[in-house]
Amino acid sequence: MAPTVALRLGRLLWLAGLLPWAPAPAAAGLYELRVITDGPATTGAEVTISAGLVAKDNGSLTLPADARLYRFHWIHSPLVVTGKKEKASSSTIHVVGNVPGDFPVSVWVTAADCWMCQPVARSFVVLPITEFLVGNLVVTQNTSLPWPSSYLTKTTLKVSFLLHDPSNFFKSASFLYSWDFGDGTQMVTEDAMVYYNYSIIGTFTVKLKVVAEWEQVEAPTKGIVQKTGDFSASLKLQETLRGIQVLGPTLIQTFQKMIITLNFLGSPPVTVCWRLKPECLPLEEGECHPVSVATTAYNVTHTFRDPGDYCFSIRAENVISKTHQYHRIQVWPSSLQPAVFAFPCATLITMMLAFIMYVTLRNATQQKDMVENLESPTGARCCCQMCCGPFLLETPSEYLEIVRENHGLLPPLYKSVKTYTV
């Protein structure tokens, strides 16, 4: 196709070079020629091409009132002209292409009475002709999103095929549409418009095959004629950010590492922003540093240094919507800090108890030594005391002596030092 276009452009330049270059009139260079067309078109369909002469400085110049001062010249081969219409400052032709290709159409304007003069203005347009149907696949949704080809899941889509047929070439044709929505769903309809609802997020390609069929009654071909066309549109299905699920502790100690998992109920990417506050209040713009998250989960790590009641204020948004969430946390003093002081206290208490026991045992030992040094009473008195019981004892010392004689004494913890006088 490219060599064909180059060949035809070269032919146009060659034809333009054949134009005589005589002295230009005063109007040359003051105007430009604008060419518009309703192409592209299928083979056999009529195409309209219009050329209009306008002033270059946005209309401050006026065109001559007499339109017969200028003449429009067209080069359109191999397209066949089916009609032509001239106006005061414009010219319109109707052409038909019987073979597919990209065809350049050139037009220029000269003075009506000076064929040897330089053109007042010139222009050209490339007209695509195809053997297939020409049209567009249009997808619309009630909810508009801020970026192209993006739509919401679980919301009805309207998918329509718009046939490009300005000359009403397919007025007697019947159409059949085969739809493939890219998620495994296919259908065949006779209507150019369908409604569909995607239930999951993702990028899908809607494919459409159109078949047009009609009966041709005029030459050169008679009988049933059929034309087809394949069309597609890429769709990105997203979900609104319905909320944030927070998974993490609500009670923690100081100097302990805390990990909170945020699960986003919506489509990534998500912009996340969080901050610790004494109260659960929404975050304002610029109050925290946003982080871009490409998945539906994100971990927040923090270590508290001071005890107290805190609130994690979290803001998340995707290009569809935004939401806020809060998570309260109570921070208690770390258990390691009381243990540091508990060990010295326990040690001190143990030492004090040991000292008290030591003093008690020492006093008891001294009393036992004193009992051993007392003289033993007579056997008769001892017998009487043993029979009569401790209630008949005259003094406590006598009771201690009887107990010692009947039960024995523990050996002293230390031997008493005896003193000798020389």
Side-chain angles (χ1 to χ4, degrees):
M1 190 66 65
T4 304
V5 175
L7 179 61
R8 288 170 179 164
L9 288 176
R11 183 171 56 185
L12 286 177
L13 295 175
W14 177 76
L15 290 173
L18 294 179
L19 294 175
W21 298 95
L30 298 179
Y31 305 100
E32 64 178 346
L33 198 59
R34 295 179 181 176
V35 181
I36 58 174
T37 177
D38 58 5
T42 186
T43 53
E46 188 177 78
V47 182
T48 300
I49 306 175
S50 299
L53 192 64
V54 296
K56 280 188 176 180
D57 60 349
N58 296 326
S60 62
L61 295 176
T62 57
L63 293 174
D66 189 359
R68 292 175 296 177
L69 292 176
Y70 298 102
R71 185 185 300 273
F72 290 81
H73 308 271
W74 293 89
I75 296 179
H76 49 75
S77 179
L79 301 175
V80 179
V81 176
T82 58
K84 184 176 182 181
K85 186 176 182 180
E86 298 286 345
K87 291 185 178 181
S89 59
S90 64
S91 176
T92 301
I93 62 173
H94 303 280
V95 297
V96 173
N98 295 318
V99 293
D102 295 330
F103 302 100
V105 178
S106 179
V107 59
W108 68 91
V109 181
T110 63
D113 56 352
C114 184
W115 287 78
M116 302 297 292
C117 295
Q118 181 180 358
V120 175
R122 67 177 68 194
S123 184
F124 79 97
V125 66
V126 177
L127 179 62
I129 302 295
T130 177
E131 59 182 339
F132 302 103
L133 297 174
V134 179
N136 295 311
L137 194 61
V138 179
V139 182
T140 57
Q141 195 175 53
N142 291 335
T143 304
S144 60
L145 300 181
W147 70 94
S149 302
S150 295
Y151 307 90
L152 291 179
T153 59
K154 303 176 183 178
T155 303
T156 303
L157 287 170
K158 178 182 177 182
V159 188
S160 306
F161 172 70
L162 303 180
L163 178 67
H164 182 71
D165 185 25
S167 63
N168 204 19
F169 180 71
F170 296 97
K171 60 183 178 180
S172 61
S174 60
F175 293 86
L176 195 66
Y177 304 91
S178 298
W179 306 86
D180 185 351
F181 294 96
D183 61 347
T185 303
Q186 297 180 351
M187 66 176 67
V188 178
T189 66
E190 294 181 355
D191 195 348
M193 180 180 63
V194 295
Y195 293 92
Y196 192 71
N197 194 330
Y198 286 90
S199 60
I200 58 176
I201 64 174
T203 300
F204 303 92
T205 300
V206 179
K207 297 180 181 180
L208 172 64
K209 185 177 182 63
V210 184
V211 179
E213 188 176 273
W214 71 98
E215 184 178 359
Q216 182 75 33
V217 297
E218 297 179 356
T221 59
K222 292 184 179 182
I224 302 300
V225 181
Q226 188 180 88
K227 283 184 177 290
T228 63
D230 293 310
F231 309 90
S232 64
S234 180
L235 310 178
K236 185 176 182 181
L237 276 300
Q238 298 276 5
E239 283 184 340
T240 57
L241 199 58
R242 304 184 306 275
I244 308 173
Q245 183 184 32
V246 182
L247 301 178
T250 58
L251 182 63
I252 200 171
Q253 296 177 344
T254 56
F255 300 99
Q256 183 178 354
K257 186 178 181 180
M258 180 203 66
I259 299 178
I260 291 180
T261 301
L262 307 179
N263 293 322
F264 307 109
L265 307 178
S267 298
V270 180
T271 301
V272 185
C273 184
W274 64 272
R275 186 173 181 178
L276 280 172
K277 286 188 170 187
E279 298 180 356
C280 292
L281 297 175
L283 294 173
E284 303 295 337
E285 294 295 334
E287 195 172 357
C288 57
H289 181 69
V291 178
S292 180
V293 180
T295 60
T296 57
Y298 180 69
N299 289 334
V300 175
T301 304
H302 186 73
T303 301
F304 291 92
R305 296 183 178 275
D306 299 318
D309 293 334
Y310 297 89
C311 181
F312 264 96
S313 295
I314 307 164
R315 184 183 69 220
E317 60 181 309
N318 57 11
V319 291
I320 305 174
S321 59
K322 68 170 61 177
T323 185
H324 289 81
Q325 185 59 277
Y326 310 99
H327 185 68
R328 291 184 178 274
I329 295 179
Q330 290 183 344
V331 182
W332 288 43
S334 176
S335 59
L336 296 178
Q337 295 177 356
V340 174
F341 300 98
F343 181 76
C345 292
T347 304
L348 180 60
I349 293 173
T350 303
M351 293 176 63
M352 292 178 63
L353 291 175
F355 177 75
I356 294 173
M357 292 177 63
Y358 170 75
V359 173
T360 304
L361 292 174
R362 182 177 179 181
N363 293 336
T365 304
Q366 291 179 355
Q367 290 179 1
K368 291 177 181 180
D369 291 340
M370 292 175 61
V371 172
E372 289 178 351
N373 294 330
L374 295 177
E375 294 181 356
S376 300
T378 61
R381 185 177 180 179
C382 178
C383 181
C384 179
Q385 291 176 347
M386 292 179 63
C387 295
C388 297
F391 297 101
L392 300 177
L393 297 179
E394 297 179 357
T395 62
S397 59
E398 294 177 351
Y399 169 74
L400 290 176
E401 181 181 359
I402 295 173
V403 172
R404 179 181 60 82
E405 292 178 353
N406 289 284
H407 299 283
L409 294 175
L410 293 175
L413 295 178
Y414 63 92
K415 295 181 179 180
S416 60
V417 179
K418 296 181 180 181
T419 304
Y420 298 90
T421 302
V422 181

